[in-house]
Amino acid sequence: MAETLLKVDNISKRFGGLLAVNEASFSVAVGRITALIGPNGAGKTTLFSIIAGFLLPDGGRVVYDGTDITGEAPHRLARRGIARTFQIVQPFAGLTVRENIAIGAHLSRRGRSEALSAAGEVARSVGLGAQLEAPAAALTVAGRKRLELARALAIMPRLLLLDEVLAGLNPSEIRDMIPVIRGIADAGVTVLMTEHVMQAVMRLAEQVLVLAEGRIIAQGTPQQVAADQRVIEAYLGHGAARRMAVGAGHD
Amino acid sequence: MKTYLSIIVVVALLAAVPMVTTSNVVLNFLVTALLIALAGQGWNLLGGYGGQYSFGHAAFFGTAAYATAILQVRYGLNAWVGSFIGMAAGALVGAVIGALTFRSGLRGSYFSLVTLAFAEVLRIIASVAPITGAGVGTLIPLDLHARAFQFQSRTPFYFIALALVAVSLTVIRAIENSRFGAYLVAVRENEDAASALGVDAFSVKLCAITISAAITAAAGCFYAQYFLFIDAGIAYGPWISIDALLAPIVGGAGTVFGPLLGALAIKTLGETTKLIAADAPGLDLMFYGLLLVGIVGLAPRGIAGLSRAISRPRRSSISTPDGSRG
């Protein structure tokens, strides 16, 4: 097992009567792409928000690079090298693409012109080079997803948290985006992504964690997880795995 | 240098006015317009660039005006020194209000209402506290010497007001081109997204309200020296809070020249109304209201946005005649 960059230890979060995350524990190895999957309402985004400092857990710890970062403010986590994207894209709508990315680039660059030119490089690396001077509000959904990614990359993170960057994209846009994410990981950034698009998870992730009803119910390689009975039942309902096996037997 | 060229040109043009006319009416008009432009520039930094709409900039204006006046009248301090202390006092009030409101996470209309409440509380305190002269107000004794920040003619006042506006324009332009300015706009556009990128939204907003308060406070110091009289209604009254936000919104919030354009526009409108309607009380305020409704409804980016839309036509939310073809 490679060196651990992020360790989530017994995290729980309750919203009133709903236990959104229930003692979830896992670790993310450095330099890998780890995917966090699970049916709707499994608690993926809640868990993400806790790791990124936007929500306080009711119990448990988040350890990053050997340091307990539970409950630290998002801007401090960003300075530690943790970047995130938002599932519902949050562009600075009144600014251009370049200015959007420059906000991230400013983290390590004080000067305005350095940040703006660094923003240009990051934009080209995610395929936004042609729209640099366009207002962010004018981008398509796919463009906004790329912008989310570019802004996060501009802070030069060690750990990148991607919250459903492929949701809402059409199949050809997804096909275009997969190499971009692969390229980020190849450049040495550790990626933790939540994703609904299984085709992407299968192609990108080295490790898959399955969250259902707030618990981690399975983890392993994509192939191991896809064959796991608990995972199939979590998605398709109780008894589905057995019915499928029976159905296969009848053929 | 190029970024400051427009400021140099505008200030030079305004500086040439006293060579054309020495009419007290014209100069008085321009001095009050510059005063509002200065107060409005303070609001513009926090509201226009930072998206934090304050309804209570009177708190900074009034504190500075009172500090300037009281330090002279009661403690015999030099007027210039008093003005600097007044400005610092206004900035301090800004920092305190900012720390309290932003630390408790007040955003949007909650922030607006709380700033309004702070200004009103200060107004009520000032109208009863003995040190402010309570209901009588504070009168700065006449001492027409430059060292007392008082002048025979209006021309020196005009140049001082213009210099203050020039400094405020330069400061805002410099902020626009800095990391702090970029962070401030990012907080306005989306605070959560900004903090995910390492922006400490609280510090950015606190810094903005402090500078904002200092700029509006400078207008308060100037007011005290120009009119030599203040009371609670003048110093902390809603009129200055309204003018300070109306000028940048009419002129173009979040633009360097917005407050100056807006101040000239609303002062022109105010004077015209007075000419037409003679002394019907409150009529100019009605026109202000109509103007604000018109600007927000038809040209949400103010005069500056309107002129940009004309010179560089782009599709916008404003309905255009050719929109009917669709």
Side-chain angles (χ1 to χ4, degrees):
Chain A
M1 185 78 190
E3 193 191 336
T4 298
L5 184 61
L6 179 77
K7 194 166 163 8
V8 171
D9 191 10
N10 269 316
I11 288 285
S12 294
K13 178 72 187 177
R14 182 180 281 284
F15 296 111
L18 174 76
L19 192 57
V21 179
N22 185 4
E23 299 188 342
S25 296
F26 62 85
S27 48
V28 173
V30 72
R32 300 266 191 91
I33 299 182
T34 303
L36 180 65
I37 66 169
N40 286 324
K44 299 185 296 290
T45 293
T46 304
L47 193 50
F48 241 60
S49 296
I50 290 169
I51 297 170
F54 282 80
L55 277 178
L56 270 179
D58 295 324
R61 297 191 313 152
V62 182
V63 179
Y64 168 76
D65 202 15
T67 317
D68 187 343
I69 56 161
T70 320
E72 233 178 71
H75 70 269
R76 292 190 184 280
L77 297 181
R79 288 170 194 182
R80 285 183 185 275
I82 302 178
R84 75 164 295 184
T85 66
F86 291 88
Q87 180 176 359
I88 299 160
V89 291
Q90 313 270 1
F92 304 123
L95 307 185
T96 67
V97 168
R98 188 194 284 277
E99 288 166 341
N100 262 270
I101 304 171
I103 301 296
H106 265 307
L107 190 60
S108 55
R109 296 171 189 82
R110 174 166 277 279
R112 191 79 186 121
S113 51
E114 289 103 292
L116 287 170
S117 71
E121 284 169 36
V122 176
R124 278 184 282 279
S125 77
V126 300
L128 276 175
Q131 285 113 317
L132 264 177
E133 311 308 329
L139 292 179
T140 60
V141 174
R144 286 172 196 211
K145 294 278 184 180
R146 282 174 193 260
L147 180 59
E148 280 281 317
L149 199 57
R151 269 195 331 204
L153 284 176
I155 77 167
M156 301 196 293
R158 288 181 64 201
L159 174 65
L160 180 60
L161 306 170
L162 301 177
D163 197 358
E164 306 228 358
V165 274
L166 301 177
L169 300 188
N170 68 36
S172 88
E173 287 164 344
I174 290 173
R175 238 181 355 259
D176 293 343
M177 196 73 153
I178 285 175
V180 175
I181 298 171
R182 168 58 61 198
I184 292 166
D186 287 345
V189 180
T190 306
V191 176
L192 174 63
M193 59 194 295
T194 68
E195 202 47 75
H196 263 133
V197 181
M198 284 308 144
Q199 164 209 3
V201 172
M202 292 296 173
R203 282 181 56 185
L204 282 170
E206 285 129 301
Q207 197 201 2
V208 178
L209 308 157
V210 186
L211 195 68
E213 290 166 8
R215 288 175 172 280
I216 300 285
I217 58 164
Q219 53 184 308
T221 65
Q223 289 70 29
Q224 284 168 347
V225 164
D228 193 300
Q229 294 209 353
R230 284 164 303 181
V231 177
I232 296 168
E233 298 207 342
Y235 274 91
L236 300 177
H238 186 65
R242 192 175 47 79
R243 283 195 298 278
M244 279 168 72
V246 172
H250 279 303
D251 280 344
Chain B
M1 208 62 231
K2 206 181 138 205
T3 42
Y4 297 96
L5 192 66
S6 50
I7 295 174
I8 295 169
V9 170
V10 168
V11 171
L13 282 175
L14 284 169
V17 172
M19 289 177 220
V20 183
T21 173
T22 49
S23 146
N24 267 347
V25 177
V26 173
L27 287 185
N28 192 42
F29 167 81
L30 284 175
V31 167
T32 44
L34 289 174
L35 184 87
I36 297 306
L38 187 61
Q41 193 65 275
W43 188 94
N44 189 34
L45 179 66
L46 185 67
Y49 289 92
Q52 313 297 316
Y53 282 26
S54 151
F55 287 176
H57 261 52
F60 319 135
F61 180 90
T63 302
Y66 268 124
T68 306
I70 291 169
L71 286 173
Q72 285 176 74
V73 174
R74 295 192 184 256
Y75 300 97
L77 208 68
N78 176 275
W80 295 96
V81 179
S83 295
F84 274 104
I85 297 176
M87 217 175 127
L92 182 69
V93 170
V96 169
I97 292 179
L100 292 173
T101 53
F102 295 139
R103 181 60 80 194
S104 43
L106 295 179
R107 295 188 191 183
S109 40
Y110 296 99
F111 172 75
S112 305
L113 289 173
V114 167
T115 52
L116 177 66
F118 271 110
E120 281 297 286
V121 166
L122 287 171
R123 184 180 66 78
I124 291 161
I125 292 172
S127 68
V128 294
I131 191 163
T132 60
V136 183
T138 297
L139 189 69
I140 299 174
L142 209 60
D143 177 16
L144 292 175
H145 292 98
R147 61 176 157 75
F149 199 159
Q150 294 184 26
F151 304 96
Q152 287 278 356
S153 92
R154 296 197 192 276
T155 319
F157 272 119
Y158 176 73
F159 281 117
I160 291 170
L162 183 59
L164 288 170
V165 167
V167 170
S168 76
L169 290 170
T170 312
V171 167
I172 298 297
R173 177 69 88 204
I175 288 175
E176 238 182 17
N177 291 316
S178 72
R179 171 161 76 175
F180 167 64
Y183 277 1
L184 187 58
V185 170
V187 167
R188 172 189 76 196
E189 294 289 324
N190 192 323
E191 201 170 316
D192 280 345
S195 59
L197 297 175
V199 178
D200 182 354
F202 173 75
S203 307
V204 167
K205 289 193 286 187
L206 187 61
C207 193
I209 197 173
T210 308
I211 301 173
S212 165
I215 297 173
T216 300
C221 302
F222 183 86
Y223 185 99
Q225 289 308 122
Y226 187 64
F227 291 99
L228 297 178
F229 172 75
I230 48 167
D231 64 15
I234 294 171
Y236 288 122
W239 75 276
I240 184 66
S241 293
I242 293 172
D243 275 5
L245 72 89
L246 201 55
I249 290 176
V250 168
T255 64
V256 170
F257 288 106
L260 183 58
L261 280 172
L264 289 169
I266 60 174
K267 282 291 138 197
T268 308
L269 186 82
E271 294 302 314
T272 319
T273 320
K274 274 186 201 149
L275 279 180
I276 298 167
D279 279 336
L283 201 65
D284 54 336
L285 288 178
M286 274 182 56
F287 272 91
Y288 279 13
L290 280 176
L291 178 71
L292 189 60
V293 170
I295 288 279
V296 171
L298 299 174
R301 295 166 70 191
I303 298 171
L306 210 59
S307 58
R308 209 175 301 152
I310 291 164
S311 65
R312 199 164 12 116
R314 208 174 63 192
R315 218 186 300 161
S316 70
S317 56
I318 305 163
S319 62
T320 48
D322 48 334
S324 55
R325 270 188 277 134

